Amino acid sequence: MAERIEEGDLIFVADGEDGIGSVRRVLPGGNMLVVYIENGGDFEIPLTAVRAVHSGKVVLNLDHLPTPVLEAIGNARRSEYPH
């Protein structure tokens, strides 16, 4: 990764998409992150699930995320589009 992950960095599933949350913490050891997913809450994800880091953005690799995180991502924008 070219840049360091910082608390407050925004979380994305792809470059050019809207953000779906933010980094809450980098856990000791640096192998896990606590991220907040909109409408889903906080989740621990492995650093191996990060595809890229740049410009205050963390892009996730969906293939490396556990099912509960994927479900939360699917619901992240639901309240913005209630109908």
Side-chain angles (χ1 to χ4, degrees):
M1 267 173 259
E3 294 184 35
R4 208 172 102 163
I5 298 172
E6 301 284 342
E7 291 179 12
D9 285 353
L10 297 178
I11 300 291
F12 296 82
V13 294
D15 276 326
E17 297 286 327
D18 289 334
I20 56 153
S22 63
V23 175
R24 294 270 200 213
R25 281 183 296 169
V26 178
L27 295 177
N31 295 326
M32 297 287 285
L33 302 173
V34 175
V35 299
Y36 170 76
I37 304 294
E38 292 177 15
N39 297 320
D42 289 344
F43 296 89
E44 288 186 13
I45 63 165
L47 199 56
T48 57
V50 174
R51 181 184 309 269
V53 179
H54 57 85
S55 307
K57 299 176 183 178
V58 176
V59 182
L60 300 178
N61 183 340
L62 299 179
D63 294 333
H64 295 271
L65 293 171
T67 301
V69 177
L70 293 172
E71 290 171 353
I73 288 170
N75 292 320
R77 297 283 178 195
R78 191 162 298 222
S79 68
E80 292 180 15
Y81 309 105
H83 302 289

